[in-house]
Amino acid sequence: MRRNTRNLAVALLCVCLSGVLTSGGARATSSEPGKDVQADAGPCVAAAAATDDDKIIEVCGALIDNEKAAKPDRVKALLARASAYDRKQLIDRAIADYDTVLRLDPSLADAHNARGELWRRKGDRPKAIMDFGAAVKLDPNHAAAKANYKSLSLELERIGAMMAVAGKPSFDCRKARRPVEKAICGNPALADLDREIGASTFRAVREAGDARQARELQRAQDDFIARRNAEFGKPGYDLQKAMRERLQQINGVDGY
């Protein structure tokens, strides 16, 4: 999605300011008395067209800072520089440029979506979802913003579901009777491990190639539970280590 946003920013800059190089060039150098001389956007257009990030930052930055730059020129220069900062992984600077763009023109769906992608990369999901939502509201047919909004919404749902079960084991702690079960219920890290082991076992059994393999997988889990119950509390027995080893056995060394 990021590549499309960058390309679109360059395209917008080139199309909207191309007149500066053709018919508008005279306005930047006109010496007619009584007329304000506006800033020349040509160098910024050329740098953006060449995707020369260092040049974009230099010449578009000069245009942005020029008090005689027309508002549309400044907006397009800010979009170009934001994309250049993005490509250089200078996310905070890119966000700052999009902030300025949206203060100048809050109706730009592309800018909302691009800033949302940057917020998401920084891990600020609330700000990202707000930007994606704003982009979709401005342009209901904005494909990138719609896709971003949907995927982030699903991600937030998953996070919410995980938070809801965080620190809870695979069994009902109200029915815990064995010392090992009470120990698991009293330790959030052990509870999370127990839940992961249960979920991974269920997945492995469900994805088994045949009924015989499924029975073997379930038997292995039952044997682990029996050993855990029998050995817990004995000298040298490390419950957390045993559970981590069991989870690795189920999922494999690479986690699958």
Side-chain angles (χ1 to χ4, degrees):
M1 295 299 178
R2 229 170 58 226
R3 181 178 297 174
N4 292 337
T5 302
R6 295 172 185 161
N7 293 340
L8 184 55
V10 173
L12 281 171
L13 180 64
C14 294
V15 171
C16 295
L17 300 183
S18 59
V20 175
L21 295 177
T22 56
S23 61
R27 79 177 180 187
T29 58
S30 172
S31 60
E32 294 181 34
K35 289 190 176 181
D36 290 334
V37 178
Q38 292 186 349
D40 182 9
C44 181
V45 174
T51 321
D52 185 339
D53 290 337
D54 290 331
K55 196 68 174 177
I56 289 171
I57 292 170
E58 176 188 351
V59 297
C60 293
L63 180 63
I64 292 164
D65 296 335
N66 192 323
E67 63 181 14
K68 294 183 178 180
K71 176 180 172 180
D73 292 357
R74 181 174 282 112
V75 168
K76 303 308 182 295
L78 282 161
L79 289 171
R81 190 173 69 175
S83 292
Y85 281 146
D86 184 2
R87 290 189 289 270
K88 284 178 165 289
Q89 301 300 311
L90 299 172
I91 296 178
D92 289 333
R93 292 186 181 184
I95 288 175
D97 274 354
Y98 284 121
D99 288 346
T100 305
V101 165
L102 291 168
R103 281 196 297 270
L104 293 171
D105 188 351
S107 68
L108 297 177
D110 287 327
H112 279 289
N113 181 65
R115 188 175 66 178
E117 291 179 348
L118 293 172
W119 283 125
R120 190 174 189 178
R121 283 161 57 192
K122 279 178 66 70
D124 195 327
R125 296 181 182 88
K127 288 184 179 178
I129 199 73
M130 288 178 63
D131 265 335
F132 296 147
V136 173
K137 185 175 181 180
L138 288 165
D139 181 3
N141 296 318
H142 197 297
K146 287 169 64 178
N148 283 330
Y149 187 87
K150 181 178 180 180
S151 66
L152 184 51
S153 296
L154 292 172
E155 183 180 334
L156 290 170
E157 286 180 12
R158 287 194 296 270
I159 291 172
M162 290 174 63
M163 290 177 65
V165 298
K168 298 180 181 179
S170 62
F171 55 90
D172 187 349
C173 284
R174 293 173 299 180
K175 299 179 180 179
R177 296 292 180 268
R178 297 176 182 275
V180 65
E181 293 172 341
K182 293 179 180 179
I184 291 172
C185 288
N187 186 316
L190 294 177
D192 287 339
L193 267 174
D194 180 83
R195 189 181 64 256
E196 289 183 57
I197 290 171
S200 295
T201 299
F202 177 80
R203 173 188 54 77
V205 171
R206 183 188 61 196
E207 296 176 358
D210 52 48
R212 182 182 62 81
Q213 183 183 25
R215 287 193 298 271
E216 290 177 353
L217 289 167
Q218 186 59 58
R219 188 180 301 114
Q221 175 64 8
D222 294 341
D223 289 344
F224 164 74
I225 295 296
R227 287 195 305 274
R228 181 202 70 182
N229 293 345
E231 295 180 20
F232 177 74
K234 292 183 178 180
Y237 181 74
D238 187 329
L239 176 58
Q240 187 171 63
K241 179 181 177 182
M243 294 175 75
R244 289 190 181 281
E245 289 176 349
R246 175 57 187 157
L247 185 61
Q248 189 176 79
Q249 288 172 359
I250 302 168
N251 291 336
V253 175
D254 57 358
Y256 294 96

